[in-house]
Amino acid sequence: MTYCVAMRLSSGMIFVSDSRTNAGVDHISSFRKLHVFQQDDERMLVLQSAGNLATTQSVLSLLRRGCEDAARPNLMSCTNMYDVALLVGETLRGVIKRDGEEFGGTLLLGGQIKGEEPRLFQLYPQGNFIEASTDTPYFQIGESKYGKPIIDRVLRFDTPLDQAMQCALISMDSTLASNISVGLPLDVMMYHADSFSTAQQYHITERHPYFSQIRQLWSAGLLSVFAQLPPLQLDD
């Protein structure tokens, strides 16, 4: 299992992914689930993956290899994000058809190509996809239910990037606290619209001071608010 969240906002984009792929009694393994493709000053693409690891790794390998073939459409030659989503969806569908329907995968694709606004898509195993909007500015894949309530309460399309990242990190913390199949370290990225920069990428471990601080503050704050609830009165 995994948990990935991506947000498309008025000022840019937020990406947060855990890295746990297995959490058995005596075996825990981690693989990166946030992957970046970039051309300076022209495009910035991010793929986040959930599902069968062999499937998603095959998709990423084929997409990377495709970038070396200028004669065919690839991540670096598509002229808009919609065409990128079509290409990624076709690749995902092809791998699943080759390996079997039981080896599924789901992807988040976000980024920007020069001449367009940033765009965010969620791609399904069948290769089809939906796009984020101003009313629905985020997507989750994997173990999403624990981290969804905080995002729904806080996030709006015009939420500043710093606050959106805080929201995404608390969403991840809620998931980490409730499901052992989601685990540290985290890969996170903050993207400012029209920058085409991938500079703000971070790798967060258990010892990351800021993440540790907000986890503790959030937990203490919830307990404090709970203690302030009025006495129970259920009678009419």
Side-chain angles (χ1 to χ4, degrees):
M1 187 54 74
T2 187
Y3 177 47
C4 301
V5 58
M7 303 170 174
R8 186 254 170 172
L9 308 167
S10 59
S11 54
M13 307 188 79
I14 296 293
F15 305 93
V16 176
S17 299
D18 86 313
S19 59
R20 181 163 293 176
T21 57
N22 185 71
V25 174
D26 58 357
H27 180 67
I28 295 176
S29 59
S30 298
F31 288 87
R32 184 175 176 88
K33 302 168 190 173
L34 191 155
H35 310 271
V36 179
F37 301 81
Q38 181 195 29
Q39 280 184 341
D40 290 341
D41 301 322
E42 202 276 330
R43 72 185 59 211
M44 191 289 300
L45 309 174
V46 174
L47 277 170
Q48 294 168 280
S49 58
N52 182 269
L53 182 61
T55 297
T56 56
Q57 284 190 340
S58 290
V59 170
L60 287 160
S61 178
L62 288 169
L63 290 171
R64 289 194 184 97
R65 192 168 65 187
C67 292
E68 301 171 1
D69 184 0
R72 304 183 64 181
N74 60 68
L75 295 180
M76 297 297 110
S77 67
C78 291
T79 58
N80 57 73
M81 287 295 298
Y82 185 86
D83 285 346
V84 174
L86 286 174
L87 174 64
V88 175
E90 179 183 350
T91 306
L92 175 61
R93 183 173 60 250
V95 170
I96 292 174
K97 182 178 179 180
R98 181 196 69 191
D99 295 343
E101 295 293 332
E102 68 271 23
F103 300 109
T106 309
L107 301 172
L108 297 180
L109 165 68
Q112 184 176 18
I113 293 176
K114 192 171 184 178
E116 285 191 321
E117 296 294 319
R119 299 174 74 176
L120 174 64
F121 301 87
Q122 179 170 338
L123 295 98
Y124 299 101
Q126 295 80 7
N128 57 340
F129 51 84
I130 57 175
E131 182 172 5
S133 66
T134 55
D135 294 326
T136 307
Y138 78 95
F139 288 136
Q140 303 166 286
I141 54 176
E143 187 56 83
S144 60
K145 59 182 177 290
Y146 302 108
K148 182 175 173 59
I150 177 62
I151 300 178
D152 287 338
R153 288 180 181 273
V154 171
L155 194 73
R156 300 294 181 268
F157 183 68
D158 60 355
T159 300
L161 284 182
D162 285 358
Q163 291 181 15
M165 178 60 82
Q166 291 173 322
C167 179
L169 290 174
I170 293 299
S171 174
M172 180 63 75
D173 173 61
S174 300
T175 308
L176 292 170
S178 298
N179 194 318
I180 193 175
S181 69
V182 178
L184 295 166
L186 310 179
D187 291 306
V188 310
M189 179 176 170
M190 183 184 300
Y191 172 73
H192 295 268
D194 301 320
S195 69
F196 302 101
S197 171
T198 61
Q200 288 189 275
Q201 292 188 67
Y202 308 96
H203 190 68
I204 296 178
T205 68
E206 293 181 358
R207 298 180 181 180
H208 192 280
Y210 180 73
F211 187 54
S212 298
Q213 180 184 22
I214 65 170
R215 296 182 81 179
Q216 293 168 6
L217 288 172
W218 181 253
S219 179
L222 287 175
L223 291 173
S224 176
V225 170
F226 186 80
Q228 296 175 45
L229 293 176
L232 185 66
Q233 295 180 356
L234 299 181
D235 295 331
D236 294 334

